[in-house]
Amino acid sequence: MGLSFVLFYANSSSLFLTTFGASFLPYIYISVGVLVPIASWGFSRLQRKWSLSKTAPFILIIFICMFFLSWGGLFFPHTEWLSFLLMIGYALGNLFSAIIRGALAGQLFDARTLKRNYPVILGGHVFSIILGGALIPVFIDIFKRPEHL
């Protein structure tokens, strides 16, 4: 999951910075600050209605669609707004993936096993983020332009 989020972040941020520039980043931060409580409230309601086995794939499908939307932003005209939404989606994706990862670990392990194994699980997630970051220059060489990640 970490690797896919690194690639998604590289894609969305390169589209956003190419389109709007760094001066628009505060609008992303403000939007995320407003939307995270709303999305968290909606997510908690969803978790009350659906089990984790339904919620996790649903969230995964949403972020797979967002990834394909980011690629669509390269091919269709007048999709500048898409990069803005994808940057916000990345922040929400990080939040929801952490919630789902914690919920899965809580269901799979008792407290003692969780205390022993969860650092290893998070270590694997961090390693995949590092691996993804190391692969970005390779992908830039392949695609020739950062905004085509």
Side-chain angles (χ1 to χ4, degrees), residues 32-84:
V32 168
V34 169
L35 290 175
V36 162
I38 295 167
S40 297
W41 174 79
F43 189 73
S44 69
R45 289 184 53 95
L46 183 66
Q47 281 187 307
R48 278 186 241 133
K49 290 182 180 182
W50 288 359
S51 67
L52 186 61
S53 63
K54 286 183 182 178
T55 306
F58 177 72
I59 297 297
L60 179 64
I61 288 168
I62 288 173
F63 287 103
I64 288 171
C65 291
M66 287 177 58
F67 184 77
F68 285 114
L69 276 174
S70 68
W71 276 90
L74 294 173
F75 301 112
F76 298 106
H78 309 297
T79 55
E80 295 84 15
W81 55 272
L82 189 59
S83 64
F84 190 86

